[in-house]
Amino acid sequence: MNRRIFIKNTMTVAAGAFVVPIIIPSHVLGKTPPSDKINIGQIGCGRIAMDLDLPEVMKFDSARVIACCDLDSNRLKDGKAKIDSFYEKKTGKKDYVNARMYDNYRDLLASTDIDAVVISTPDHWHAQPAIEAAIAGKDIMLQKPFSLTVAEGRFVCDVIKKKGRILQVCTQLRASSQFRIAAELVRNGRIGKLHTVRIGQTGDPSGPEAAEMPVPSNLNYDMWLGSTPKVYYTEIRVHPQNDYSRPGWLRCHQFGAGAITGNIVHYLDLASWGMDTEYTGPVSVEATGEYPKSGLWDVHGDFMVKAEYANGITCYADSHYPAMVRYEGTEGWVEAGPGALRVTASDPAPLTKNPQIINAGDPKILTSEIKENEIHLYKIDDQHGNWLECIRTRQLPISTAEIGHRATTACLISDIAMRLGRKLYWDAEKERFKGDKEANAMLSRPQRKPYGTDYIKF
């Protein structure tokens, strides 16, 4: 299918909608030989793709990255170079892949030889390509947070379920055994009845004022803004033009919610493992946050969140805690941290170093054996590898769409509570606040045509 036919068939801008055809990937049309590769398309060639997603996928022999896409042509070329160089070194063949380049992800999705995609875009470009990829019959690795809003997160879940796609949310700390072990100990009663969970990570710093700059010729800035409001271009609002250091959009509420969804989502996801709340959410949330008084960056800095759950557990997230998950029960405590683990070199460091990646009030807790008839949690060594294996087996991965949505939702409603400055009551089944029209209005955002999930016909 060529580009012109695909656009004609899939985009009806006059009608205000994107319509994506169902394209069934080759590996689900029939039994595939074990030697067949899973052909991958990489959507987004920024910091997280270059440092994490591409290397972690390409290291597996079962996968072959054959295409990449980015709205910045310089980054697109760098992505292709990284892919081609990797496979040339691995195989000794200069043109083993010769990765195709796309400046529009919908053209990549139209490629019938691509089985699955990795989406490593800014937060405001997570939900829409994930939905369109699922409708196009692709399996998906989606960077956290799951969505920009609660409403579009629910939409993603519904489409994934209906289309039967394998979606893995990239919350890679689940592959670190200390977090699974801590959660298993808690779930099996080794610290008595769990009543309190504490998690921590740093907030984001304020930044300078930034004057309008000419849009670089290598960047499709209008599409980069996507569904969010039209605002002038300045480099620290987007990403660096000369390197792959931490981008400015992470600190702009227009494109995300700051550290609460960028970093805390990892630890709240892990905490839900131990709390047994992966498929629900809190019943109430209250939060405070410090916000910049000037400058372009407007997400929270230091913060505190208190979330209460129906099972009697209270979870605290605080920027003054070290980066860890700490479970406190009636008979002791256990905690797990990342140690020196970083997703990328520019990720924020914890306020204090964790001398041990897993610790307990009573050391005997850590040597307690989880017996065969007790609760054993999903065990993996590598999240990207788990995704690839599940594409083959069609089994659920460790971080499903629903799990990723619930963890992100808890962070998003915490952000809402922070901004409103009052305690909010949450109905996790209906995914609505109780008796609060102002808070409920913040569960979605206006979307700028023709971009956004509101304009997808499904």
Side-chain angles (χ1 to χ4, degrees):
M1 182 183 293
N2 65 37
R3 184 175 186 272
R4 181 176 297 175
I5 294 173
F6 178 70
I7 292 175
K8 180 179 179 181
N9 290 343
T10 63
M11 292 183 63
T12 311
V13 177
F18 294 132
V19 184
V20 184
I22 298 175
I23 303 170
I24 305 300
S26 59
H27 72 272
V28 299
L29 292 176
K31 188 173 181 180
T32 56
S35 60
D36 280 2
K37 302 286 187 182
I38 300 170
N39 287 333
I40 308 291
Q42 173 66 48
I43 300 177
C45 299
R47 177 187 70 127
I48 203 76
M50 301 293 270
D51 287 356
L52 178 73
D53 286 328
L54 276 172
E56 287 298 304
V57 169
M58 291 192 297
K59 74 183 184 183
F60 288 95
D61 290 337
S62 61
R64 179 172 53 199
V65 180
I66 65 171
C68 57
C69 175
D70 202 277
L71 298 176
D72 184 323
S73 61
N74 291 340
R75 290 188 165 205
L76 179 57
K77 292 172 187 175
D78 286 351
K80 173 181 169 57
K82 189 177 186 73
I83 295 166
D84 290 346
S85 174
F86 175 88
Y87 287 115
E88 181 180 351
K89 290 178 181 177
K90 183 175 182 179
T91 67
K93 300 176 182 177
K94 185 173 180 60
D95 294 322
Y96 176 76
V97 168
N98 191 16
R100 303 195 300 266
M101 295 189 293
Y102 295 89
D103 59 10
N104 189 318
Y105 70 87
R106 296 186 190 89
D107 296 340
L108 184 151
L109 294 179
S111 301
T112 56
D113 62 341
I114 291 176
D115 302 307
V117 295
V118 180
I119 300 174
S120 314
T121 51
D123 297 0
H124 63 294
W125 267 113
H126 283 185
Q128 184 174 349
I131 290 169
E132 292 177 338
I135 295 171
K138 315 298 185 187
D139 294 316
I140 303 148
M141 185 85 176
L142 178 64
Q143 266 297 332
K144 57 74 197 167
F146 191 66
S147 61
L148 182 66
T149 68
V150 174
E152 67 178 18
R154 173 45 56 200
F155 190 6
V156 177
C157 287
D158 291 346
V159 173
I160 293 298
K161 183 177 180 180
K162 185 167 184 178
K163 293 300 179 183
R165 306 323 308 158
I166 299 298
L167 186 148
Q168 176 91 286
V169 185
C170 196
T171 52
Q172 52 278 99
L173 292 180
R174 282 197 174 216
S176 299
S177 61
Q178 67 268 29
F179 295 110
R180 174 184 52 80
I181 291 168
E184 279 185 343
L185 291 169
V186 172
R187 292 277 291 272
N188 286 291
R190 297 305 192 270
I191 63 170
K193 181 174 174 54
L194 177 65
H195 54 75
T196 304
V197 179
R198 304 182 193 276
I199 59 180
Q201 249 295 357
T202 56
D204 282 295
S206 60
E209 300 291 348
E212 183 173 1
M213 299 169 63
V215 177
S217 59
N218 52 286
L219 177 65
N220 182 346
Y221 183 56
D222 183 77
M223 190 171 184
W224 187 90
L225 287 172
S227 64
T228 74
K230 186 87 171 182
V231 291
Y232 69 81
Y233 172 82
T234 189
E235 187 171 345
I236 69 166
R237 194 197 302 276
V238 187
H239 57 250
Q241 282 294 306
N242 296 318
D243 61 45
Y244 285 84
S245 58
R246 200 160 185 258
W249 64 259
L250 282 165
R251 301 162 170 98
C252 298
H253 197 263
Q254 177 169 341
F255 312 118
I260 194 70
T261 52
N263 295 319
I264 283 293
V265 68
H266 282 296
Y267 295 93
L268 210 153
D269 170 65
L270 294 168
S272 71
W273 226 2
M275 294 191 295
D276 193 16
T277 57
E278 290 175 288
Y279 293 97
T280 184
V283 295
S284 71
V285 60
E286 49 191 312
T288 60
E290 295 182 9
Y291 292 91
K293 294 181 173 59
S294 63
L296 183 74
W297 296 336
D298 59 354
V299 296
H300 68 85
D302 284 344
F303 69 96
M304 188 282 291
V305 175
K306 176 183 178 183
E308 298 172 312
Y309 288 77
N311 58 9
I313 300 170
T314 300
C315 181
Y316 295 93
D318 195 315
S319 56
H320 294 94
Y321 294 156
M324 66 175 186
V325 182
R326 178 184 172 95
Y327 302 100
E328 299 174 1
T330 55
E331 298 176 27
W333 59 267
V334 62
E335 64 186 19
L341 177 66
R342 294 287 177 277
V343 174
T344 72
S346 60
D347 277 347
L351 292 180
T352 59
K353 293 181 179 180
N354 299 315
Q356 294 177 265
I357 58 175
I358 187 167
N359 197 16
D362 182 351
K364 292 180 181 178
I365 293 174
L366 301 181
T367 59
S368 174
E369 179 187 359
I370 306 298
K371 297 181 172 56
E372 186 176 347
N373 63 343
E374 292 187 291
I375 296 169
H376 290 260
L377 300 178
Y378 202 139
K379 180 181 179 180
I380 64 168
D381 296 318
D382 186 288
Q383 201 181 37
H384 293 77
N386 173 241
W387 175 60
L388 294 169
E389 179 63 23
C390 289
I391 289 174
R392 292 285 193 202
T393 65
R394 311 313 292 173
Q395 300 299 308
L396 291 176
I398 194 169
S399 298
T400 63
E402 190 67 32
I403 290 173
H405 170 59
R406 294 291 182 169
T408 297
T409 293
C411 293
L412 288 170
I413 65 174
S414 296
D415 174 62
I416 293 171
M418 233 183 282
R419 291 180 174 273
L420 293 179
R422 62 175 181 267
K423 187 172 185 177
L424 303 174
Y425 297 89
W426 180 246
D427 186 326
E429 183 177 352
K430 295 179 180 178
E431 296 187 290
R432 303 282 293 174
F433 292 107
K434 296 179 179 180
D436 197 319
K437 290 182 180 180
E438 184 180 16
N440 281 325
M442 299 169 75
L443 296 174
S444 62
R445 300 191 191 186
Q447 298 186 347
R448 185 174 66 96
K449 290 183 178 181
Y451 308 106
T453 57
D454 289 350
Y455 310 110
I456 298 175
K457 286 187 175 180
F458 172 68

